[in-house]
Amino acid sequence: MELELEHITHIYKKGKKALDDVSLRLTPGVYGLLGPNGAGKSTLMNIITTNLIPTSGEALFQGRSILADNRAYRSRLGYMPQQQGMYNQMTGRHFLWYMAALKKIPRQEAKKRIEYMLELVSLKETANQRIGSYSGGMKQRLLIAQAVLNDPEILILDEPTAGLDPKERIRIRNFVSEISQNRIVLLATHVVSDVECIAKEIILLKQGTVIRQKTPAELICEMDGLVWEFCVSAEELADVQKQYRVSNLSICPEGILVRAVGKREEIRRRKRPVRAGLEDVYLYYMEADLGDSLENRIQSISDAEV
Amino acid sequence: MKHVYYEWMKFIHNRLAVALVLGCICVNLFYQWNAAQKSNAWLDQAFFDAQVDQILEMSQEDAGIWLDRECAWYRFLSQLGTFGEAALEGSFMQLKMEYPEVDWNLRLQERMEDGFDFSVLMREASHFYELQKRQAYALSYPVFLQTIQKQADSMLGISLFSDNEGFSQKNILRTAAVYETLEGQECRIDYSMAVSVWSDSQLADGLVLILILIIGWQIFWQEKENGLYPLLRCTENGKLPLAVSKVIAAMILLTVTTLLLYGSQILLGIGMYGTGNLEAPLVSVSEFRNCPYRICIGTYLLLFLLVKVTGVFVFGSLVMLLYTGCRRFGTVIAVYFVMIGLEFMAYRQIDSLSSINGLKFINLIAVLDAKSWFTAYRNINIFSEPLTVVPAKLVFSVCVWIVCTGLTLWCFCVPERKQEKLRLFKTLSSSVESGIDEAEIHSWNSHRKSEWIRRRWNNFGEIRYKLPWANGTSLICHEGYNLYRLGGMWLMLLLVLGVSMTMAEGIPDYSGSRDVQVYQKYILQIQGIYTEETEQFLRSEELVMRLEDPEAVQMKQELAAGSVTQDDYDQWMEKREVQIRLREVGFQRVLEQERLVQAARLLGSDAGFADADQVSCLFQNDNEQIQHVLLFLIAVIPGITWLFGMEQTCGMKPLIVSTVSGRIPLRLRKLIQVIGYATLLYLILFVPYYWEIWNDLERVPADLLLAGVKGYENFPLPISICQAFWIMAAIQYLTGVSCSLYIAAVTGKVGTPAQGCLVNFLLLVVPCFLFWTGLNLSEWTCVGGFLPSLVYRSGEVLYYWKYLCIGILLDAWAVYRILGQDD
């Protein structure tokens, strides 16, 4: 099973280039799609879900264009959009029945799947209540339930953990991890920790371009020698934050422990190298304040590797 | 002011709202221009002004003589154009005799040398006829004022009006006093035709009612729909200051829109006909003869605009209240249009002299009808005191505006629903402070009870959602559920059913006056296909009609014998002659119908006699039919816009579209539901109505040719009354379905149900409403499709075919839009 995006470019009517020659090859497993707002994540997902036709390039599933065999492709697709609003007048169960009808699931199978999904996302008790009375977490779980209702081979999740409390976040993360066997899961998020443990690969998207597609371990390894920790006083903190790409702050006996990303010569302080995390990776690529070009950063990683 | 500015900017940046406002202005201008072109096609403004200038230089007496002479001259010329030289003998000689001071031979010669163009001549004549009418009216106005005083004096002499404390006497005295102040006003003839153009504001009134809805939607509803109210309300200026600025912005926008709409109409009138003499008294225009104010046309122009703005403010305040008070857009629309319908019916149906005439004059529609403020003088009875209608309207307008605006501000500032816990806390805390307030506790308990009922109702969902349409994989059932249950259209159907049952009254029993009775008696005897026997019967009846009345002969003999007095005989004869005359009138109707039947026999042999009055109940009952159409549209638009806009409202469109059946299959099923809903509504509304009429038809053999019935003689196709009925019903039904498709396509195009509702109401309901009020837009709008019987009367079948073809093309576009969007 393979979903391939070949040289996808999409330009909106007003001339804004949302995607610029994006090529990806996705096989079963979870893919974390990371990028700041406006990076082109939603456009990419809209193209994969056939809501949008790209200006140029092609998306292929099992070697066939997803637009050419649109209905067959959509029958193998599960999509969870970003939560904006829902059918507030419907009950949770009715909503799933409605989605089952739209996904052309046979009645008997739909009945089993709906009950199973309600159980799985812990909404069985409240399934006959109106969606309008659900909390944000319940709505998210319901959206996930509908996405996997047809047992899809491709699952597209757009910020599934947005607005959830930590407990719910962990539950959903585990759930996604469980269901990701034998299917392609593309999970778009701003929250790096959501995909850090479960993603097979991370796709970093910036200004419509894929700047990195590697496993989390590889990305983290690349950052060796680029993440540092040092202590500063409270008075110095403001200046330090302006000078360096600070990825974390914590309290230490000497003052404030700063975690910063950058080349050895950039951090002109007494420092110690630390093991990088995925957040450092994200920060390193996405932070644009210091005027350092992307090419330079990738070059610096190559230098570090050398 | 900053908030007001932002509200303005929000409106200006909403392209749809701005386009609708501008579109309405353009439609209104085009209609006014077209109507003015049609009614005043004869007018050559320069020629007219030249004649007016000439008249103004004369004394009133000389002007009258000159106009009479010119009109006689043009009458003669028109006869010359029609009858040729034969007119020279009679009419020309008469002209010479009446006005010997003019050398008519010379004038005729000059005219012939200039060229005798009949159409130019008729146009010129129209100018003189118009001026003569104005002149005659100007001379009659002082007489009219004197008549009022005389009438008042004579009525006061009657014992019925002699009660000093009664309303009647006070009313007469006040009316006389008001018109006394107008004495000495001199009517002029140099006013512009533009006065009529800007006073004719039916279309603009219809459009402004929708524009109010659009402006209110933009300012009050959009943020509510997008869930922004909680965010706005929690800011420092988010309650009263924001509400006040919204109200101010709405009122400014309404004022500007009103001035643009009516102002452009005034400018159009002035552009077409010039300003004329703005200093001329308003009573110079014959339509304003009863105007009780000593004002000139220029002042009327300003007051007209002011009254329109007042009317718009009143409606605007009501709409603001509805938008802030109601939770669903459908409720806003339903309440608004039902209110307008009721007010309009009260304004139209209640008699001016009725005891409940207050409902007619103190009425929202009466407030908006600015012309009526100046065309009549009326007093209403308030505790035996005559209250003049105009100040009463003003007070009413101000009161409605204040109350509605106050309630709007209150609704905006008060949270939508008090939280139960907060309510309990408040109750307990106030109890601690001031002792236990039992009333409050009781109120809280009752709130709990309502909560209990709500929960029980929700639990009832356990059963409801086990029903097959909510618990299956049939998309069509789901869409039905979405439409009827979630969209609340089951309630709409019940309401429409109730209204339809009360509206289906059939043909009222009417035997009418003697002539109608005679007509009905004859039709009863000869109804059916026209045969030789029918013809013989009618000829023999004709002979009977010519014979001397046997009863009159007998009476004459009795008079001669002295058994009746001369007075009794005269009285009897007087009554008898009236009866005979009416009988002749009735019989003449039958003979006239016979001529039509004979003409119709050229189309087919099935021509014959049917009661034309009863047939008219089927094909000429425009008023009732358009009421049914209005109900149909008001019920169908919220349902379809909801069904086709719900995904957009909920933000679920991307998800739905990504599913297997989320595109064409889904829209196809929605379409089927739409057609089903339209069919259901049509059946509910029209079947009882037609059923009652069919049941009451007594003298209408349905297989006769329609063209043989009076009123339909122009219809060129050989179809029977029954076929005509079925064709009418079928076209009405198909128009209903086609409008439904169109509504669905427009909703898909504009987005949310609210926007779809507004656009569709503007495009479909407004023309029907205007037709109901008397403005015929059937050539341009869906009215023609809903009332195919108009073609039976006009006979313009070819034109109607073109119209149907355009309709079919629009439908094809609609279906393409619905099924093809996003694909």
Side-chain angles (χ1 to χ4, degrees):
Chain A
M1 192 166 34
E2 191 177 77
L3 178 68
E4 238 179 317
L5 305 181
E6 287 182 349
H7 307 290
I8 299 273
T9 298
H10 190 76
I11 303 166
Y12 284 108
K13 277 178 189 168
K14 287 181 181 171
K16 193 200 170 227
K17 199 180 247 186
L19 290 177
D20 187 7
D21 196 26
V22 170
S23 293
L24 290 171
R25 195 171 150 271
L26 309 177
T27 52
V30 179
Y31 290 84
L33 184 61
L34 295 179
N37 292 329
K41 297 192 298 292
S42 294
T43 308
L44 185 66
M45 277 187 295
N46 277 329
I47 288 170
I48 296 174
T49 55
T50 71
N51 278 320
L52 208 61
I53 298 170
T55 313
S56 67
E58 203 173 13
L60 306 166
F61 181 64
Q62 304 287 59
R64 288 182 60 116
S65 165
I66 60 170
L67 294 174
D69 203 3
N70 199 338
R71 286 194 74 180
Y73 170 72
R74 275 185 282 138
S75 69
R76 301 158 93 167
L77 180 75
Y79 175 41
M80 178 198 172
Q82 238 174 358
Q83 197 200 108
Q84 287 164 341
M86 283 178 81
Y87 297 117
N88 286 336
Q89 294 92 337
M90 284 186 190
T91 64
R93 177 173 276 120
H94 182 208
F95 174 65
L96 290 182
W97 273 108
Y98 184 48
M99 292 311 296
L102 284 167
K103 292 179 181 218
K104 275 193 128 175
I105 304 171
R107 188 182 154 78
Q108 287 308 317
E109 195 189 329
K111 198 173 176 184
K112 278 185 212 156
R113 293 284 301 170
I114 287 169
E115 294 310 313
Y116 170 69
M117 290 315 304
L118 285 171
E119 189 81 55
L120 202 66
V121 295
S122 309
L123 286 174
K124 191 133 190 162
E125 297 294 306
T126 50
N128 286 339
Q129 282 180 18
R130 284 173 184 241
I131 296 174
S133 66
Y134 281 14
S135 67
M138 288 159 88
K139 283 181 184 171
Q140 288 293 80
R141 278 184 274 151
L142 189 66
L143 279 174
I144 290 185
Q146 69 75 28
V148 291
L149 196 63
N150 56 333
D151 199 12
E153 289 171 29
I154 304 157
L155 184 60
I156 312 293
L157 305 172
D158 195 353
E159 299 199 24
T161 57
L164 298 186
D165 62 41
K167 194 180 152 197
E168 291 277 1
R169 188 181 289 262
I170 292 163
R171 269 180 64 171
I172 283 179
R173 195 192 300 163
N174 293 342
F175 176 69
V176 172
S177 179
E178 276 169 36
I179 60 167
S180 65
Q181 305 295 319
N182 300 322
R183 65 181 110 225
I184 300 165
V185 181
L186 184 65
L187 195 155
T189 183
H190 295 292
V191 186
V192 177
S193 59
D194 280 351
V195 286
E196 196 163 13
C197 310
I198 60 169
K200 183 170 98 174
E201 279 186 7
I202 301 289
I203 301 162
L204 291 175
L205 201 62
K206 190 180 181 186
Q207 289 167 357
T209 315
V210 176
I211 53 172
R212 250 359 192 199
Q213 182 188 356
K214 287 193 172 180
T215 63
E218 282 172 338
L219 285 171
I220 289 165
C221 269
E222 282 180 351
M223 294 290 290
D224 276 351
L226 290 169
V227 186
W228 310 90
E229 271 184 359
F230 51 87
C231 276
V232 295
S233 65
E235 293 77 35
E236 286 177 294
L237 186 62
D239 286 338
V240 165
Q241 278 186 314
K242 274 181 202 166
Q243 261 181 309
Y244 309 123
R245 285 186 284 273
V246 175
S247 69
N248 197 19
L249 295 170
S250 54
I251 305 290
C252 66
E254 293 84 19
I256 296 164
L257 185 65
V258 177
R259 186 183 172 101
V261 182
K263 283 185 266 185
R264 177 184 288 270
E265 57 273 22
E266 280 175 4
I267 316 283
R268 289 182 217 97
R269 284 184 165 269
R270 263 191 68 194
K271 57 193 181 278
R272 66 184 179 87
V274 288
R275 180 152 173 78
L278 206 52
E279 275 187 5
D280 301 312
V281 176
Y282 182 86
L283 188 75
Y284 187 72
Y285 286 111
M286 302 303 167
E287 183 72 63
D289 287 351
L290 299 176
D292 195 2
S293 73
L294 189 67
E295 287 75 20
N296 283 347
R297 289 188 201 175
I298 293 170
Q299 185 58 46
S300 67
I301 283 177
S302 309
D303 295 347
E305 279 171 356
V306 170
Chain B
M1 282 311 286
K2 204 187 267 182
H3 293 302
V4 177
Y5 166 76
Y6 283 124
E7 293 300 329
W8 257 86
M9 293 314 285
K10 275 190 252 172
F11 182 82
I12 287 165
H13 285 116
N14 188 329
R15 283 187 203 161
L16 179 70
V18 174
L20 284 173
V21 171
L22 294 177
C24 286
I25 292 170
C26 293
V27 166
N28 183 46
L29 284 181
F30 174 72
Y31 171 77
Q32 294 298 346
W33 175 81
N34 195 31
Q37 286 285 327
K38 274 184 186 169
S39 61
N40 296 328
W42 52 271
L43 188 70
D44 176 351
Q45 195 62 44
F47 181 78
F48 189 74
D49 290 343
Q51 306 312 317
V52 169
D53 289 343
Q54 203 171 336
I55 292 169
L56 289 176
E57 285 169 11
M58 302 176 196
S59 69
Q60 212 169 37
E61 206 174 308
D62 290 346
I65 294 167
W66 182 75
L67 278 170
D68 288 346
R69 202 173 62 202
E70 288 304 305
C71 287
W73 164 243
Y74 275 100
R75 267 193 297 276
F76 158 68
L77 287 178
S78 71
Q79 283 181 354
L80 186 65
T82 316
F83 304 113
E85 291 193 356
L88 283 173
E89 288 172 11
S91 308
F92 197 49
M93 291 308 288
Q94 196 183 345
L95 190 66
K96 278 179 177 174
M97 277 164 64
E98 278 181 24
Y99 303 100
E101 69 276 13
V102 181
D103 185 353
W104 291 111
N105 288 327
L106 180 68
R107 203 165 167 187
L108 183 62
Q109 197 183 338
E110 282 171 1
R111 183 85 209 190
M112 289 300 181
E113 280 167 7
D114 287 349
F116 192 86
D117 185 338
F118 192 65
S119 61
V120 172
L121 181 130
M122 291 311 290
R123 281 184 66 184
E124 280 179 12
S126 302
H127 294 84
F128 287 101
Y129 297 150
E130 170 68 22
L131 284 169
Q132 191 188 31
K133 212 165 69 187
R134 287 187 184 190
Q135 181 72 13
Y137 167 73
L139 290 171
S140 73
Y141 184 71
V143 182
F144 161 71
L145 288 181
Q146 284 166 10
T147 315
I148 289 181
Q149 301 303 326
K150 276 182 195 162
Q151 265 183 352
D153 292 340
S154 64
M155 284 170 87
L156 287 173
I158 301 169
S159 59
L160 190 66
F161 304 113
S162 59
D163 179 12
N164 287 343
E165 295 303 310
F167 166 75
S168 305
Q169 195 187 67
K170 288 178 189 170
N171 185 26
I172 293 166
L173 288 170
R174 179 175 283 192
T175 307
V178 165
Y179 280 102
E180 203 175 349
T181 60
L182 298 176
E183 274 182 19
Q185 277 214 117
E186 277 188 18
C187 292
R188 297 182 62 91
I189 60 164
D190 53 345
Y191 61 86
S192 166
M193 291 273 190
V195 182
S196 307
V197 175
W198 75 56
S199 297
D200 170 26
S201 60
Q202 259 175 318
L203 179 64
D205 290 347
L207 292 174
V208 91
L209 290 178
I210 295 289
L211 289 179
I212 291 168
L213 212 54
I214 293 168
I215 290 169
W217 163 74
Q218 163 63 34
I219 293 181
F220 288 92
W221 191 261
Q222 261 210 326
E223 284 158 348
K224 197 173 184 177
E225 196 174 49
N226 294 333
L228 288 169
Y229 267 19
L231 169 70
L232 296 174
R233 279 181 181 144
C234 71
T235 57
E236 192 182 340
N237 290 325
K239 288 199 172 177
L240 195 62
L242 182 63
V244 170
S245 29
K246 275 183 181 291
V247 169
I248 293 172
M251 290 304 159
I252 295 173
L253 263 171
L254 287 174
T255 310
V256 171
T257 310
T258 313
L259 293 179
L260 280 175
L261 190 69
Y262 294 100
S264 61
Q265 190 175 322
I266 290 170
L267 288 177
L268 176 81
I270 290 172
M272 289 177 84
Y273 304 117
T275 54
N277 182 4
L278 289 175
E279 297 295 320
L282 182 61
V283 287
S284 304
V285 187
S286 59
E287 286 171 277
F288 296 92
R289 190 185 70 160
N290 295 336
C291 175
Y293 309 111
R294 212 181 173 95
I295 54 172
C296 64
I297 290 173
T299 314
Y300 164 68
L301 172 62
L302 293 176
L303 288 175
F304 177 84
L305 281 175
L306 209 62
V307 171
K308 285 292 179 196
V309 171
T310 309
V312 167
F313 267 35
V314 172
F315 275 97
S317 63
L318 272 164
V319 166
M320 288 190 307
L321 177 59
L322 288 174
Y323 275 131
T324 44
C326 297
R327 282 190 193 170
R328 292 182 67 169
F329 189 75
T331 317
V332 176
I333 291 283
V335 173
Y336 184 62
F337 281 100
V338 166
M339 187 184 69
I340 288 175
L342 291 175
E343 289 289 272
F344 180 75
M345 278 172 76
Y347 186 57
R348 172 70 81 80
Q349 304 291 343
I350 295 173
D351 191 80
S352 311
L353 302 173
S354 155
S355 57
I356 51 164
N357 62 359
L359 293 175
K360 181 187 177 78
F361 296 119
I362 313 299
N363 178 303
L364 293 171
I365 301 290
V367 171
L368 192 63
D369 185 3
K371 193 177 166 185
S372 73
W373 288 51
F374 302 95
T375 48
Y377 177 77
R378 296 260 176 223
N379 287 317
I380 48 175
N381 185 350
I382 302 287
F383 305 115
S384 298
E385 283 300 322
L387 179 66
T388 310
V389 163
V390 168
K393 276 182 188 173
L394 266 177
V395 172
F396 171 69
S397 307
V398 171
C399 289
V400 171
W401 187 82
I402 289 173
V403 169
C404 289
T405 308
L407 285 173
T408 304
L409 296 177
W410 182 77
C411 284
F412 192 91
C413 299
V414 170
E416 276 182 23
R417 198 187 292 169
K418 281 186 181 178
Q419 293 293 315
E420 201 175 323
K421 283 176 191 167
L422 284 177
R423 216 175 133 84
L424 177 64
F425 179 75
K426 192 182 157 208
T427 308
L428 291 177
S429 59
S430 62
S431 302
V432 170
E433 283 169 18
S434 56
I436 290 171
D437 183 347
E438 284 191 8
E440 186 69 11
I441 296 283
H442 177 73
S443 144
W444 187 76
N445 277 336
S446 60
H447 178 67
R448 289 292 302 214
K449 275 176 200 161
S450 67
E451 269 297 293
W452 183 84
I453 292 166
R454 200 173 63 80
R455 282 206 202 112
R456 295 283 81 75
W457 173 251
N458 278 344
N459 289 346
F460 178 59
E462 294 283 342
I463 303 162
R464 273 189 293 151
Y465 297 118
K466 278 175 186 161
L467 297 172
W469 51 83
N471 209 355
T473 48
S474 160
L475 247 188
I476 201 156
C477 288
H478 276 288
E479 288 311 319
Y481 189 82
N482 288 345
L483 176 66
Y484 295 105
R485 174 69 187 87
L486 300 185
M489 290 305 126
W490 64 275
L491 194 65
M492 183 71 92
L493 285 179
L494 281 181
L495 277 173
V496 170
L497 185 67
V499 176
S500 167
M501 288 303 171
T502 53
M503 282 172 80
E505 286 176 336
I507 303 172
D509 286 333
Y510 177 65
S511 54
S513 54
R514 177 85 181 151
D515 58 330
V516 178
Q517 285 170 9
V518 170
Y519 173 74
Q520 287 179 355
K521 198 187 105 195
Y522 276 112
I523 292 292
L524 199 63
Q525 278 179 286
I526 57 173
Q527 63 175 329
I529 295 174
Y530 184 75
T531 58
E532 280 182 18
E533 284 171 22
T534 320
E535 192 180 3
Q536 279 167 10
F537 171 75
L538 287 173
R539 295 294 82 78
S540 62
E541 282 298 303
E542 234 177 335
L543 284 175
V544 172
M545 284 281 174
R546 281 184 203 149
L547 289 175
E548 203 173 358
D549 182 14
E551 284 186 48
V553 173
Q554 193 188 340
M555 197 66 178
K556 208 172 188 177
Q557 285 168 354
E558 284 178 21
L559 177 70
S563 54
V564 287
T565 63
Q566 184 65 40
D567 282 352
D568 288 345
Y569 174 77
D570 289 344
Q571 274 180 4
W572 186 88
M573 276 305 285
E574 203 177 322
K575 281 181 190 168
R576 189 71 188 168
E577 272 168 16
V578 170
Q579 280 184 342
I580 288 169
R581 236 187 350 264
L582 288 173
R583 199 180 73 178
E584 279 171 3
V585 170
F587 187 66
Q588 279 305 318
R589 273 187 80 187
V590 177
L591 291 182
E592 202 182 328
Q593 201 162 332
E594 189 193 12
R595 280 194 292 280
L596 298 177
V597 169
Q598 282 169 344
R601 287 179 82 186
L602 296 172
L603 286 174
S605 58
D606 289 345
F609 281 94
D611 188 333
D613 294 335
Q614 291 204 336
V615 176
S616 73
C617 291
L618 269 180
F619 301 125
Q620 288 187 31
N621 222 348
D622 296 343
N623 204 33
E624 280 196 19
Q625 290 204 0
I626 206 70
Q627 282 176 22
H628 282 78
V629 170
L630 271 170
L631 265 175
F632 174 84
L633 289 173
I634 288 171
V636 95
I637 290 174
I640 298 175
T641 49
W642 159 255
L643 192 65
F644 275 83
M646 61 188 289
E647 279 86 21
Q648 193 78 22
T649 312
C650 306
M652 297 298 281
K653 205 174 172 191
L655 170 61
I656 300 297
V657 169
S658 71
T659 59
V660 189
S661 308
R663 296 183 184 185
I664 293 177
L666 177 71
R667 287 182 218 128
L668 201 62
R669 279 152 184 87
K670 279 183 190 278
L671 213 57
I672 293 168
Q673 283 296 349
V674 161
I675 293 170
Y677 180 55
T679 308
L680 214 54
L681 271 174
Y682 180 83
L683 293 176
I684 288 175
L685 273 166
F686 285 88
V687 170
Y689 167 65
Y690 286 133
W691 179 263
E692 288 292 327
I693 291 179
W694 268 114
N695 277 345
D696 290 350
L697 290 181
E698 289 167 349
R699 295 173 292 278
V700 183
D703 49 350
L704 292 183
L705 272 184
L706 180 69
V709 184
K710 187 165 166 49
Y712 314 97
E713 60 273 17
N714 296 327
F715 191 64
L717 300 180
I719 57 169
S720 68
I721 294 171
C722 183
Q723 286 167 335
F725 167 74
W726 284 112
I727 291 172
M728 178 181 76
I731 293 179
Q732 264 177 349
Y733 167 67
L734 290 175
T735 308
V737 170
S738 116
C739 282
S740 307
L741 298 180
Y742 186 66
I743 293 165
V746 169
T747 310
K749 179 92 182 150
V750 296
T752 63
Q755 289 167 327
C757 258
L758 289 173
V759 176
N760 285 310
F761 267 94
L762 185 67
L763 294 175
L764 301 173
V765 177
V766 170
C768 294
F769 179 73
L770 291 171
F771 185 87
W772 188 32
T773 63
L775 193 68
N776 191 350
L777 296 171
S778 60
E779 287 178 23
W780 304 87
T781 59
C782 63
V783 177
F786 279 117
L787 299 179
S789 52
L790 294 173
V791 183
Y792 296 160
R793 279 175 265 162
S794 67
E796 291 172 349
V797 178
L798 197 66
Y799 176 79
Y800 202 69
W801 276 115
K802 282 184 202 165
Y803 185 88
L804 282 182
C805 287
I806 293 170
I808 290 165
L809 283 176
L810 273 174
D811 276 343
W813 169 81
V815 173
Y816 170 75
R817 275 288 320 165
I818 295 163
L819 296 181
Q821 58 182 315
D822 306 326
D823 293 331

